[in-house]
Structure formats: structure tokens, C-alpha cells
């Protein structure tokens, strides 16, 4: 992408050529950071639902002054030469090409049409409009609209993908539910199962998946980009969600399992249980179904419950997750900890990730790993500070 | 049952109806698919059609 920018800089400055971007990404502000880093100051449109229907990126397209596609799949090798020829060439206006409307669909009208017709097509149009234009507060309605579309057409792969994007958006919003991420991964996985050749959908799952399946680290450029942007005296574009864990992890060909083997820090369950009153835990396994001999990445998220006004007691020890491993299985870390921040108390969401590998001869079906977490929480402003255990049964499914 | 209702039912049942929610296709010699999408900087509606009159190089990409 920066290649095309560099090759067309002069033509852009002379006003002879306009560069435009469409980003296929769950978090489009990451693309904005990338563009800021590379000095690509073009208009950028966000197509997080992949309405354009491309199954690979990048795709470079030349569009003439009448809106007609003249070249597709342009190669960077002759970018400057192509751009000069393209700008110099005159294209005749085609007949009967109307100028399309540039406004946004009326969400209320689309809703009425969906309810009246009950068709999958109309539910999808309504779901798309809500997801794109309804704002964060209407993502719950958008999820329901996608589900209504899928109730009529359960094998429509793009609707499953759209449902996954919407679940993940809500997960990242102020209204996020702990299980939204798991639902997103399930929906993306269904989309990919229906259309295994869609590279964008495959990448979306790999973004959060195990190192063994990764082609490269996805967002390892972010730190360097920020350093260089700051070095130029600019402020880097802020990110809504900081890339972490699987999103930064380099691909690994070897599965490294630690030698640690014991019952963990509380083998006899002597620490008193927290039945999710103080801390709510959600787990997401990516991919949700793993083949024998393959790995999955497990995301575990801990949220202090606002209903009990719970917060972390940072003056005590750190949060620990212990993962017991069934015979023949491997994990890359059995003991995971989250360091406490500097302040005495805090109520942030805490996340840990680890990888799990099924034995080559694993039988198909569900397997439960009896993991547990230990943490120090305080209840209320003047309430008691406690040390609690929460059992976290990790359900993994082995399939073909 | 009138025939329009029959057509509507057939479309509803087959699940793959013509129209916008079917994926757009970029084809050489054809107008670029009409899509109105949010701008990344401020969320305003933006479309390729809004740049009519200019020669464009469009890149569809991701930063991963």
C-alpha cells in the first residue's frame, strides 16, 4: 500500500489522481495508525462487514472519472508507469450509468420491510444498516437482526461473518457482555466452515488463534509505528483496543510445554469459592473445535462485578490461573498470572491467554479442563477484602 | 394466492435473493459497486461515487 502511495505522490499533489482506501478490519483505527505511519493521507472507508465481498486483500483497482472500473488486481511492480498512463488516458462517458445516491439507508424503513416480508434478504439489509449506522448503543438490535436473517437462511455464510463482527464490536464497547467474544468466534467459524476459501474470514479467526496456525504476527508493527510517529513530533492515532496476546504473538512451529506438574497453588480446594459474585469470568477457545494433534488458543477474561462493587486488591498477591492438563494434552503455560497495577485498588478487566494442544489420538467429543483462578478482591468501598477461588471449567471440543 | 405473493415466498425460502445484501462484485468495464460506508476518521457516509469526476486508485486492504 505505501508502494502505491509513493509511486503516485506527484500525480496526487498535482490533483490528477485521487487515492482511496477501503479497510477490511475489525478495528479500523489500526489501519488509520498504519496510514499515519506511512504518510498515506487519503480518504478511508470502513467495510468491516466485507460488503464489498472480496475474499482476499490487498486488491488494487483503477476507476475512471465516470466511475467505471478500468483495471483490477494491479501489481505494484509497474505502479508509477501504470498511474501515468491511466491519468493521461481519456475515457468516454458511458451511456446509462446513473449517479447512485450517496445517502444512508433509513433504518426504520428497513426494519419495517424486514418485519413485513420476513425475508432473509430484508433482515440482512436491516442488520447491515444497524451495524454500520446504528451506533454502539444499537448493536444488540443488530445482533438480533442478523439472527433473524440466519433463522430464515441458516447457511448464509456472510451473515454469520456479519453476526461475528457485530458480537465482537459489542464486546469492545461499553455495553460488552463477557460471552460476546465467544459468540463472535463461533459465528466466524461457522462462516469459514461454509466458505473455507475466504481469506479475510480465515484471518479474522487466526488473529485470535494459536501460534501454530499463524502465518505471521498480525500487529507487531504497532510499536515501531508509534515510535516513528512520535519521532516526527506527531501524536499517534489512538486505538480503541490495544493489540495483545494472540494479535502480537509470532507464529510458532514447535509447541513448547512447561515441565511444571503439580496440583497447582490450591490442589485440595481449600480456598473459599467465589461463585462469580465478585468476579465474572468468560472463556473463549479459538478455534472452538480442534482436530487431534492441533492447537487452540484459550482467552480467559476476568471482570470485577459492578453489582457487588468489587475491585482488585492490588496490595495483596497477583491473580493466578492454574490449568490442569489431562493425560496426553499439552499447554504452553500451566500457571498464568496478571501483575497488579501500582494503585492500591482497581477494577479493570484482566485477560490471560494460553495455548492448548490435543493429543494425536484424541477421541472426538467434548473435553473439560478443570482450571481455577485465585484472586484478591475487595467488596465495596469499606467492605471486606477477600482471597477467593473460582473454578473455571474449560470446555474444548475435539472434532475432525 | 396471487403470483406476487408466490414470488415473494419463493425468494424468502431460497435465501439467496437478488439485491444489495448479496456481495458486491468488482468487474472491469462495469461501474464500481455502489456502497455507502462510514469514513474511518469521523464516521460520515462516504462512497466511491462521491469521487465521480476524478481518476481513482482504490486499495482494499487491512493493516494485518
Amino acid at each position: 500500500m505505501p508502494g502505491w502511495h509513493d509511486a503516485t505522490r506527484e500525480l496526487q499533489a498535482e490533483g490528477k489522481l485521487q487515492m482511496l482506501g477501503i479497510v477490511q478490519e475489525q478495528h479500523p483505527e489500526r489501519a488509520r495508525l498504519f496510514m499515519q505511519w506511512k504518510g498515506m493521507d487519503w480518504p478511508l472507508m470502513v467495510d468491516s462487514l466485507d460488503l464489498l465481498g472480496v475474499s482476499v486483500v490487498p486488491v488494487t483497482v483503477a476507476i475512471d472519472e465516470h466511475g467505471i472500473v478500468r483495471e483490477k488486481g494491479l501489481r505494484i511492480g509497474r505502479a508509477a508507469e501504470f498511474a501515468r498512463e491511466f491519468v493521461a488516458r481519456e475515457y468516454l462517458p458511458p451511456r446509462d450509468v446513473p449517479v447512485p445516491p450517496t445517502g444512508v439507508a433509513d433504518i426504520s424503513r428497513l426494519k419495517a420491510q424486514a418485519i413485513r416480508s420476513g425475508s432473509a434478504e430484508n433482515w440482512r439489509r436491516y442488520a447491515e444498516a444497524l451495524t454500520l449506522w446504528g451506533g454502539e448503543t444499537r448493536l444488540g438490535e443488530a445482533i438480533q437482526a442478523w439472527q433473524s436473517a440466519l433463522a430464515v437462511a441458516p447457511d448464509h455464510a456472510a451473515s454469520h461473518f456479519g453476526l461475528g463482527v457485530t458480537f465482537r464490536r459489542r464486546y469492545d464497547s461499553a455495553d460488552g457482555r463477557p460471552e460476546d467474544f465467544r459468540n463472535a468466534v463461533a459465528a466466524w467459524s461457522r462462516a469459514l466452515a461454509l466458505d473455507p476459501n475466504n481469506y479475510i474470514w480465515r484471518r479474522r479467526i487466526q488473529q485470535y488463534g494459536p501460534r501454530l496456525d499463524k502465518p505471521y504476527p498480525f500487529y507487531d508493527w504497532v510499536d515501531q509505528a508509534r515510535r516513528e510517529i512520535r519521532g516526527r513530533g506527531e501524536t499517534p492515532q489512538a486505538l480503541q483496543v490495544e493489540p495483545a496476546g494472540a494479535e502480537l504473538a509470532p507464529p510458532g512451529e514447535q509447541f513448547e510445554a512447561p515441565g511444571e506438574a503439580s496440583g497447582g497453588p490450591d490442589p485440595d480446594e481449600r480456598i473459599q469459592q467465589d461463585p462469580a459474585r465478585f468476579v465474572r469470568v468468560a472463556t473463549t477457545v479459538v478455534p472452538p473445535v480442534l482436530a487431534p494433534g492441533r492447537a487452540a488458543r484459550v482467552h480467559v477474561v476476568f471482570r470485577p462485578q459492578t453489582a457487588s462493587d468489587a475491585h482488585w486488591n492490588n496490595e495483596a498477591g497477583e491473580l493466578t490461573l492454574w490449568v490442569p492438563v489431562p493425560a496426553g494434552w499439552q499447554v504452553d503455560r500451566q500457571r498464568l498470572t496478571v501483575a497488579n497495577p501500582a494503585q492500591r485498588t482497581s477494577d479493570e478487566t484482566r485477560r490471560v491467554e494460553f495455548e492448548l494442544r490435543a493429543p494425536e489420538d484424541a477421541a472426538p467429543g467434548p473435553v473439560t479442563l478443570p482450571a481455577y483462578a485465585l484472586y484478591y478482591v475487595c467488596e465495596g468501598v469499606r467492605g471486606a477484602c477477600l482471597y477467593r477461588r473460582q473454578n473455571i471449567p474449560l470446555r474444548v471440543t475435539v472434532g475432525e | 394466492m396471487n403470483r406476487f405473493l408466490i414470488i415473494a415466498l419463493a425468494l424468502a425460502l431460497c435465501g439467496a435473493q437478488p439485491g444489495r445484501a448479496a456481495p458486491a462484485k468488482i468487474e472491469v468495464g462495469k461501474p464500481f459497486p455502489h456502497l455507502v460506508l462510514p469514513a474511518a476518521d469521523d464516521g460520515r457516509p462516504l462512497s466511491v461515487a462521491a469521487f465521480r469526476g476524478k481518476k481513482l486508485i482504490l486499495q482494499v486492504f487491512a493493516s494485518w
Side-chain angles (χ1 to χ4, degrees), chain A residues 1 4 17-25 32 44-46 51-52 57-63 65-70 72 86-87 89 100-104 121 124-125 128 133 152 203 216 218-219 221, chain B residues 12 15-41 43-64:
Chain A
M1 299 155 289
W4 275 94
L17 185 71
Q18 173 74 52
M19 294 293 297
L20 270 182
I22 294 184
V23 62
Q24 303 281 359
E25 202 152 335
R32 289 192 67 209
L44 181 67
M45 289 173 260
V46 179
L51 300 182
L52 197 50
V57 285
V59 177
T60 306
V61 184
I63 302 166
E65 56 273 49
H66 311 294
I68 306 297
V69 174
R70 293 299 172 185
K72 177 185 164 187
F86 178 54
V87 163
R89 193 158 170 189
T102 51
V104 172
E121 163 75 13
R124 280 199 291 276
R125 288 165 61 106
E128 285 171 4
W133 309 107
V152 184
R203 288 283 185 270
Y216 47 76
F218 278 48
Y219 291 101
W221 54 269
Chain B
Q17 302 87 0
R20 242 298 306 115
K25 260 207 167 133
I26 306 170
E27 287 181 67
V28 173
K30 298 277 170 66
F32 187 83
H34 180 56
L35 277 180
V36 181
L37 294 168
D41 51 358
R44 71 190 184 282
L46 205 54
S47 67
V48 171
F51 295 88
R52 203 59 70 86
K54 293 184 175 183
K55 285 208 165 78
L56 307 173
I57 301 275
L58 171 83
Q59 295 220 292
V60 186
F61 72 101
S63 68
W64 34 256

Side-chain angles (χ1 to χ4, degrees), chain A residues 17 90-91 99 113 123 140 150 162 179 193 195 199 203 210 229 244 248 279-280 286 316 334 337 342 348 390 394:
Chain A
L17 185 71
E90 275 187 40
Y91 293 96
V99 176
Q113 282 175 350
W123 279 113
L150 285 163
E179 62 278 9
D195 181 0
Y199 169 90
R203 288 283 185 270
I229 290 167
L248 298 174
V279 176
R280 192 165 169 201
V286 188
Q334 265 197 288
T337 56
E348 78 282 5
Q390 188 166 159
L394 295 170

Side-chain angles (χ1 to χ4, degrees), chain A residues 117-333:
Chain A
S117 73
S119 78
E121 163 75 13
N122 283 339
W123 279 113
R124 280 199 291 276
R125 288 165 61 106
Y126 172 48
E128 285 171 4
L130 267 175
T131 309
L132 289 185
W133 309 107
E136 281 197 353
T137 57
R138 299 192 70 181
L139 292 172
E141 286 174 72
I143 287 168
Q144 286 175 2
W146 286 116
Q147 288 168 334
S148 297
L150 285 163
V152 184
D155 290 337
H156 192 267
S159 295
H160 286 285
F161 182 74
L163 175 64
V165 168
T166 312
F167 265 126
R168 178 69 206 201
R169 268 190 68 197
R170 189 171 71 173
Y171 179 77
D172 292 325
S173 76
D175 194 29
R177 320 281 158 87
E179 62 278 9
D180 282 346
F181 181 33
R182 190 189 312 144
N183 289 332
V185 173
W188 291 330
S189 301
R190 180 86 181 108
L192 188 64
L194 288 162
D195 181 0
N197 295 310
N198 191 307
Y199 169 90
I200 291 172
W201 301 352
R202 188 173 292 279
R203 288 283 185 270
R204 188 61 49 85
I205 297 167
Q206 285 175 343
Q207 185 171 338
Y208 302 104
R211 290 189 305 269
L212 288 172
D213 292 348
K214 272 185 175 323
Y216 47 76
F218 278 48
Y219 291 101
D220 62 338
W221 54 269
V222 166
D223 276 350
Q224 189 191 349
R226 283 180 173 146
R227 268 198 313 278
E228 292 184 15
I229 290 167
R230 287 198 188 98
R232 302 197 298 244
E234 298 169 38
T235 304
Q237 159 74 38
L239 300 186
Q240 188 201 4
V241 179
E242 209 45 44
E247 294 186 291
L248 298 174
E253 293 183 4
Q254 299 291 320
F255 195 92
E256 290 161 19
E260 207 169 359
S262 76
D266 184 31
D268 302 321
E269 297 202 42
R270 297 182 62 198
I271 308 298
Q272 203 177 339
Q273 295 279 341
D274 170 13
R277 181 175 158 213
F278 300 117
V279 176
R280 192 165 169 201
V281 180
T283 59
T284 302
V285 181
V286 188
V289 178
L290 73 163
R294 303 294 298 175
R297 196 161 180 106
V298 182
H299 302 243
V300 186
V301 177
F302 302 84
R303 288 178 202 242
Q305 288 295 85
T306 46
S308 54
D309 195 17
H311 48 270
W312 305 112
N313 177 6
N314 297 331
E315 292 178 310
E318 57 199 359
L319 182 154
T320 301
L321 175 74
W322 177 258
V323 187
V325 190
W329 288 68
Q330 288 178 298
V331 293
D332 63 350
R333 286 181 297 164

